[in-house]
Amino acid sequence: DIQMTQSPSSLSASVGDRVTITCRASQSISYYLNWYQQKPGKAPRLLIYAASSLQSGVPSRFSGSGSGTDFTLTISSLQPEDFATYYCQQSYSTPQVTFGPGTKLDI
Amino acid sequence: QVQLVQSGAEVRKPGSSVKVSCKASGGAFSTSTITWVRQAPGQGFEWLGGISPIFGTPMYAQRFQGRVTITADTSTTTGYMELNSLRSDDTAIYYCARDSGGAPESWFDPWGQGTLVTVSS
């Protein structure tokens, strides 16, 4: 299986901050990397697909980049509703997809 | 817009089985792939398997092979995930989601609201 890691595992930030979360794959996955946001008690929400494409309805302050093994999710100016846990997921080895362990973003 | 609504929470004893449903509305169910993912308490996500209703052939994660059965009923646009020989470490929230297709460039959207399955004696 392709192993996914994320850093940091948790992050404290303030409204208006610029935040970057990193995801690393154990082997090259090209650009087949997605990002999800999950709030407590809720299902995940797709933010970014194919490494850098913004899902419809997602604010433009979210952006993704990277290819190969290293990827980043950036939030340009944190809003109160952005405090959540963020997960990356590789689809390179579909159907055997794997997720990162998550990055918890709090105030 | 496709919406996925799952069945309610379940409590089961070790060794028993559970079957979770996922009702789709608002989109082309038959041509989608429905996938199942679980999240243990405070943990990350684990893919169990998926099915393309139009083809009817399920795919399973190797570690669940023989213990999970995924089906779909196109007449009711409902997907099902049945897990057998339950253990305490199967306690988790089970989610269905639609796979966008076009693998390997694919993603999960939308997701069902999740079904909590608790395995306890």
Side-chain angles (χ1 to χ4, degrees), chain B residues 48-78:
Chain B
L48 280 77
I51 189 167
S52 174
I54 196 170
F55 296 116
T57 303
M59 303 163 289
Y60 302 120
Q62 194 163 4
R63 70 174 295 228
F64 295 103
Q65 197 89 27
R67 209 159 67 90
V68 68
T69 303
I70 293 173
T71 56
D73 183 339
T74 55
S75 67
T76 60
T77 64
T78 302

Side-chain angles (χ1 to χ4, degrees), chain B residues 3-90:
Chain B
Q3 285 191 308
L4 302 175
V5 178
Q6 299 182 223
S7 49
E10 304 271 12
V11 179
R12 292 286 185 273
K13 293 192 182 302
S16 66
S17 300
V18 68
K19 190 171 186 176
V20 179
S21 68
C22 173
K23 168 75 173 174
S25 62
F29 176 77
S30 295
T31 56
S32 301
T33 293
I34 300 297
T35 199
W36 290 87
V37 173
R38 76 180 187 180
Q39 184 178 33
Q43 302 297 312
F45 295 96
E46 186 172 31
W47 179 76
L48 280 77
I51 189 167
S52 174
I54 196 170
F55 296 116
T57 303
M59 303 163 289
Y60 302 120
Q62 194 163 4
R63 70 174 295 228
F64 295 103
Q65 197 89 27
R67 209 159 67 90
V68 68
T69 303
I70 293 173
T71 56
D73 183 339
T74 55
S75 67
T76 60
T77 64
T78 302
Y80 300 92
M81 187 283 302
E82 183 172 22
L83 190 61
N84 303 314
S85 303
L86 289 168
R87 308 184 290 253
S88 58
D89 62 357
D90 290 318

Side-chain angles (χ1 to χ4, degrees), chain A residues 35-63:
Chain A
W35 289 98
Y36 300 87
Q37 176 194 65
Q38 186 182 36
K39 295 182 178 179
K42 299 293 187 182
R45 171 198 181 194
L46 177 69
L47 299 176
I48 302 285
Y49 62 91
S52 60
S53 295
L54 191 67
Q55 171 67 347
S56 176
V58 174
S60 59
R61 61 181 180 273
F62 290 92
S63 64

Side-chain angles (χ1 to χ4, degrees), chain A residues 31-32 34 36 38 41-46 48-50 55-56 87 89 91-101, chain B residues 1 35 37 39 42-47 59-62 95 99 102-114:
Chain A
Y31 64 95
Y32 303 121
N34 308 311
Y36 300 87
Q38 186 182 36
K42 299 293 187 182
R45 171 198 181 194
L46 177 69
I48 302 285
Y49 62 91
Q55 171 67 347
S56 176
Y87 295 91
Q89 174 243 325
S91 61
Y92 178 86
S93 60
T94 297
Q96 306 279 351
V97 301
T98 49
F99 293 79
Chain B
Q1 285 276 20
T35 199
V37 173
Q39 184 178 33
Q43 302 297 312
F45 295 96
E46 186 172 31
W47 179 76
M59 303 163 289
Y60 302 120
Q62 194 163 4
Y95 292 100
D99 187 316
E105 186 174 324
S106 63
W107 49 89
F108 300 151
D109 181 71
W111 294 58
Q113 84 277 20

Side-chain angles (χ1 to χ4, degrees), chain A residues 14-17 59 61 75-83 86 105:
Chain A
S14 301
V15 172
D17 284 354
R61 61 181 180 273
I75 310 172
S76 60
S77 178
L78 272 175
Q79 298 302 301
E81 60 268 29
D82 299 337
F83 292 96
Y86 293 84
L105 176 56

